[in-house]
Tab-separated table of all heavy atoms in Angstrom:
chain	number	residue	atom	x	y	z
A	479	ALA	N	-16.865	21.549	46.964
A	479	ALA	CA	-16.081	22.547	47.689
A	479	ALA	C	-14.580	22.302	47.577
A	479	ALA	O	-13.783	23.256	47.645
A	479	ALA	CB	-16.497	22.558	49.158
A	480	HIS	N	-14.172	21.030	47.408
A	480	HIS	CA	-12.733	20.744	47.353
A	480	HIS	C	-12.117	21.069	45.998
A	480	HIS	O	-10.899	21.011	45.841
A	480	HIS	CB	-12.462	19.278	47.708
A	480	HIS	CG	-13.231	18.299	46.880
A	480	HIS	ND1	-14.382	17.673	47.343
A	480	HIS	CD2	-13.047	17.832	45.616
A	480	HIS	CE1	-14.842	16.854	46.410
A	480	HIS	NE2	-14.046	16.933	45.350
A	481	ALA	N	-12.926	21.393	44.999
A	481	ALA	CA	-12.405	21.730	43.674
A	481	ALA	C	-11.982	23.198	43.631
A	481	ALA	O	-12.538	24.047	44.332
A	481	ALA	CB	-13.465	21.462	42.611
A	482	LYS	N	-11.005	23.470	42.773
A	482	LYS	CA	-10.538	24.843	42.609
A	482	LYS	C	-10.479	25.194	41.130
A	482	LYS	O	-9.854	24.483	40.338
A	482	LYS	CB	-9.148	25.012	43.226
A	482	LYS	CG	-8.584	26.432	43.089
A	482	LYS	CD	-7.188	26.542	43.675
A	482	LYS	CE	-6.632	27.955	43.493
A	482	LYS	NZ	-5.233	28.064	44.020
A	483	VAL	N	-11.133	26.289	40.756
A	483	VAL	CA	-11.071	26.773	39.376
A	483	VAL	C	-9.789	27.579	39.226
A	483	VAL	O	-9.650	28.662	39.789
A	483	VAL	CB	-12.306	27.629	39.025
A	483	VAL	CG1	-12.177	28.182	37.606
A	483	VAL	CG2	-13.589	26.802	39.149
A	484	GLU	N	-8.847	27.031	38.466
A	484	GLU	CA	-7.541	27.655	38.295
A	484	GLU	C	-7.548	28.697	37.178
A	484	GLU	O	-6.726	29.613	37.162
A	484	GLU	CB	-6.489	26.591	37.975
A	484	GLU	CG	-6.370	25.487	39.013
A	484	GLU	CD	-5.532	25.896	40.202
A	484	GLU	OE1	-4.961	27.004	40.174
A	484	GLU	OE2	-5.434	25.098	41.154
A	485	ALA	N	-8.470	28.547	36.232
A	485	ALA	CA	-8.575	29.487	35.114
A	485	ALA	C	-9.971	29.376	34.533
A	485	ALA	O	-10.587	28.313	34.555
A	485	ALA	CB	-7.537	29.188	34.042
A	486	GLY	N	-10.476	30.471	33.994
A	486	GLY	CA	-11.765	30.448	33.301
A	486	GLY	C	-12.942	30.241	34.236
A	486	GLY	O	-13.080	30.909	35.257
A	487	GLY	N	-13.826	29.319	33.839
A	487	GLY	CA	-15.002	29.021	34.643
A	487	GLY	C	-16.139	29.992	34.436
A	487	GLY	O	-16.994	30.149	35.315
A	488	ARG	N	-16.196	30.617	33.255
A	488	ARG	CA	-17.237	31.627	33.043
A	488	ARG	C	-17.570	31.741	31.554
A	488	ARG	O	-16.767	31.395	30.677
A	488	ARG	CB	-16.762	32.992	33.546
A	488	ARG	CG	-15.609	33.544	32.738
A	488	ARG	CD	-15.017	34.822	33.301
A	488	ARG	NE	-14.032	35.393	32.391
A	488	ARG	CZ	-12.802	34.956	32.247
A	488	ARG	NH1	-12.367	33.935	32.978
A	488	ARG	NH2	-11.971	35.528	31.384
A	489	ARG	N	-18.732	32.264	31.308
A	489	ARG	CA	-19.130	32.615	29.952
A	489	ARG	C	-18.352	33.853	29.505
A	489	ARG	O	-17.991	34.703	30.320
A	489	ARG	CB	-20.632	32.900	29.915
A	489	ARG	CG	-21.180	33.229	28.542
A	489	ARG	CD	-22.676	33.473	28.589
A	489	ARG	NE	-23.220	33.760	27.260
A	489	ARG	CZ	-24.504	34.013	27.013
A	489	ARG	NH1	-25.369	34.005	28.018
A	489	ARG	NH2	-24.903	34.259	25.783
A	490	VAL	N	-18.094	33.932	28.202
A	490	VAL	CA	-17.409	35.094	27.646
A	490	VAL	C	-18.406	35.914	26.830
A	490	VAL	O	-18.975	35.426	25.857
A	490	VAL	CB	-16.230	34.656	26.742
A	490	VAL	CG1	-15.583	35.868	26.090
A	490	VAL	CG2	-15.205	33.871	27.557
A	491	GLY	N	-18.624	37.160	27.245
A	491	GLY	CA	-19.562	38.019	26.537
A	491	GLY	C	-21.003	37.635	26.787
A	491	GLY	O	-21.306	36.672	27.502
A	492	ASP	N	-21.917	38.393	26.189
A	492	ASP	CA	-23.342	38.114	26.370
A	492	ASP	C	-24.043	37.854	25.033
A	492	ASP	O	-25.261	37.830	24.953
A	492	ASP	CB	-24.031	39.269	27.109
A	492	ASP	CG	-23.817	40.615	26.415
A	492	ASP	OD1	-23.251	40.627	25.299
A	492	ASP	OD2	-24.219	41.637	26.998
A	493	ARG	N	-23.228	37.640	23.982
A	493	ARG	CA	-23.779	37.367	22.662
A	493	ARG	C	-23.147	36.086	22.136
A	493	ARG	O	-21.929	35.938	22.136
A	493	ARG	CB	-23.474	38.531	21.713
A	493	ARG	CG	-24.141	38.445	20.339
A	493	ARG	CD	-23.953	39.773	19.618
A	493	ARG	NE	-24.667	39.786	18.328
A	493	ARG	CZ	-24.083	39.591	17.157
A	493	ARG	NH1	-22.768	39.367	17.099
A	493	ARG	NH2	-24.778	39.623	16.037
A	494	GLY	N	-23.955	35.152	21.716
A	494	GLY	CA	-23.426	33.860	21.307
A	494	GLY	C	-23.158	32.982	22.518
A	494	GLY	O	-23.524	33.312	23.658
A	495	TYR	N	-22.497	31.842	22.281
A	495	TYR	CA	-22.341	30.822	23.318
A	495	TYR	C	-20.869	30.554	23.632
A	495	TYR	O	-20.422	29.412	23.681
A	495	TYR	CB	-23.038	29.530	22.859
A	495	TYR	CG	-24.447	29.751	22.356
A	495	TYR	CD1	-24.834	29.275	21.114
A	495	TYR	CD2	-25.384	30.448	23.112
A	495	TYR	CE1	-26.125	29.479	20.634
A	495	TYR	CE2	-26.678	30.660	22.654
A	495	TYR	CZ	-27.037	30.178	21.410
A	495	TYR	OH	-28.313	30.389	20.941
Side-chain angles (χ1 to χ4, degrees):
H480 54 259
K482 180 182 178 182
V483 177
E484 303 279 355
R488 66 186 187 282
R489 182 179 181 180
V490 176
D492 55 7
R493 187 170 184 259
Y495 311 127

